Amino acid sequence: MNLLDGKLISDKIKAEIAAEVKTKMLDMGKAAPHLAAVLVGEDPPSQTYVAAKEKDCREVGFISSVYKYSANISQEKLLDIIRFLNNDQEIDGFIVQLPLPGHINERTVIESIAPFKDVDGFHPVNVGRMVLNIPSYLPATPYGIITLLEHYQIETEGKHCVVLGRSNIVGTPVSILLSRKSKTGNATVTLCNSHTSDIQAIAVKADILIVAMGKKEFVTADMVKKNAVVIDVGIHRIPSEETKSGFRLIGDVNFNEVAKKCSYITPVPGGIGPMTRVSLLLNTLKAAKKEIKF
């Protein structure tokens, strides 16, 4: 078993980004890329995630701005803020951290973001371009998965890839990316969901198994083909008497069982999480360089 070390690869990519920002932007008198985040409410995981993104920006020389608002902000007020960010020429890209309070329609908010500033890759224009294999901002987690596979030179062409979970944020887009005609693509993809009959029989046939079900240790050894590549997108906090914090993190895969059977596996934490965050930086760098034409 080999670890797919997302932290190692993300640190390498961050060093490359930092070097490019310094030599090709700052040293030449150009502005650093500017990433903004809109944070609504006091959701602890969202606060932690946005703080981590701020830290990432500092490490690579980006400018970072965070717009924080109370959970009772009106939808119209939030849309006004998004319109302001869309028109702010000093901001290259921004995200609206999800989830949002129940009285705000997430789809309306996402669709109000200008596609050329949508570095989360959630706008229908970017999703449509992704489906058509036209340059776009890719959703960060699927982008991170593809990048990790590339760095470890995991062959995808002709392989059977099974994706467990069909969310618009992870499962559906990564299934599209892996099936596209591309370097890390050309796979035969089966997309499963919670209603799939005999999901174990499908999963065990996968050469590459991507798990994004949102269920603690859902995948066990009997669901994994010998020498398969396993990507665990899940992250869950559970109580632990062995840590100072009183909790530890686990994924959607029973790591101790599955690691004995597979050829490669992502750890939790330290696997897909860091790759998701570095993908956001890559999208922001592309936005600053105006690489993608709309």
Side-chain angles (χ1 to χ4, degrees), residues 43-114:
D43 179 60
S46 292
Q47 291 178 321
T48 300
Y49 198 48
V50 169
K53 290 171 182 174
E54 287 186 279
K55 180 176 178 289
D56 291 337
C57 285
R58 289 193 297 270
E59 289 178 356
V60 299
F62 283 15
I63 300 168
S64 176
S65 300
V66 179
Y67 295 78
K68 298 180 180 180
Y69 301 96
S70 68
N72 60 10
I73 187 174
S74 70
Q75 178 167 300
E76 190 52 44
K77 176 62 177 176
L78 182 57
L79 294 176
D80 284 341
I81 293 160
I82 291 171
R83 284 189 281 267
F84 168 78
L85 295 174
N86 284 338
N87 293 315
D88 188 340
Q89 296 184 4
E90 293 185 359
I91 292 175
D92 297 299
F94 68 94
I95 66 163
V96 177
Q97 184 64 36
L98 304 177
L100 292 169
H103 67 281
I104 296 176
N105 186 302
E106 289 187 357
R107 178 178 294 180
T108 300
V109 169
I110 289 169
E111 291 180 357
S112 70
I113 299 171

Side-chain angles (χ1 to χ4, degrees), residues 161-175:
C161 177
V162 174
V163 180
L164 305 184
R166 59 179 172 185
S167 75
N168 292 331
I169 294 174
V170 182
T172 295
V174 80
S175 71

Side-chain angles (χ1 to χ4, degrees), residues 48-286:
T48 300
Y49 198 48
V50 169
K53 290 171 182 174
E54 287 186 279
K55 180 176 178 289
D56 291 337
C57 285
R58 289 193 297 270
E59 289 178 356
V60 299
F62 283 15
I63 300 168
S64 176
S65 300
V66 179
Y67 295 78
K68 298 180 180 180
Y69 301 96
S70 68
N72 60 10
I73 187 174
S74 70
Q75 178 167 300
E76 190 52 44
K77 176 62 177 176
L78 182 57
L79 294 176
D80 284 341
I81 293 160
I82 291 171
R83 284 189 281 267
F84 168 78
L85 295 174
N86 284 338
N87 293 315
D88 188 340
Q89 296 184 4
E90 293 185 359
I91 292 175
D92 297 299
F94 68 94
I95 66 163
V96 177
Q97 184 64 36
L98 304 177
L100 292 169
H103 67 281
I104 296 176
N105 186 302
E106 289 187 357
R107 178 178 294 180
T108 300
V109 169
I110 289 169
E111 291 180 357
S112 70
I113 299 171
F116 60 90
K117 290 197 177 184
D118 169 42
V119 289
D120 250 345
F122 294 159
H123 192 283
V125 168
N126 279 310
V127 174
R129 289 169 68 107
M130 175 191 68
V131 171
L132 296 172
N133 207 2
I134 298 171
S136 64
Y137 298 122
L138 299 176
T141 299
Y143 189 4
I145 292 170
I146 296 298
T147 303
L148 192 62
L149 292 172
E150 287 178 354
H151 274 265
Y152 278 91
Q153 299 181 337
I154 304 295
E155 183 62 65
T156 58
E157 183 171 346
K159 301 297 182 180
H160 183 199
C161 177
V162 174
V163 180
L164 305 184
R166 59 179 172 185
S167 75
N168 292 331
I169 294 174
V170 182
T172 295
V174 80
S175 71
I176 292 168
L177 292 173
L178 284 165
S179 64
R180 292 194 315 186
K181 186 175 182 180
S182 59
K183 178 183 176 183
T184 306
N186 294 317
T188 299
V189 181
T190 302
L191 180 60
C192 300
N193 59 73
S194 59
H195 299 280
T196 300
S197 298
D198 202 357
I199 200 167
Q200 184 273 341
I202 297 171
V204 79
K205 296 177 181 178
D207 300 307
I208 301 171
L209 181 64
I210 298 175
V211 190
M213 290 290 284
K215 297 181 179 181
K216 300 173 186 176
E217 298 186 331
F218 177 80
V219 170
T220 49
D222 63 334
M223 298 176 68
V224 178
K225 180 180 179 181
K226 185 173 175 57
N227 294 324
V229 175
V230 178
I231 306 289
D232 188 353
V233 181
I235 187 162
H236 310 274
R237 181 182 293 189
I238 63 170
S240 174
E241 296 179 355
E242 300 173 0
T243 61
K244 290 182 179 179
S245 64
F247 68 86
R248 64 186 179 92
L249 300 176
I250 61 171
D252 284 4
V253 174
N254 187 317
F255 184 90
N256 291 333
E257 280 190 17
V258 172
K260 299 173 185 176
K261 198 172 182 181
C262 61
S263 58
Y264 289 89
I265 188 170
T266 55
V268 177
I272 296 304
M275 294 304 300
T276 296
R277 286 172 21 216
V278 83
S279 297
L280 184 64
L281 298 179
L282 288 169
N283 277 343
T284 303
L285 182 61
K286 289 178 182 178

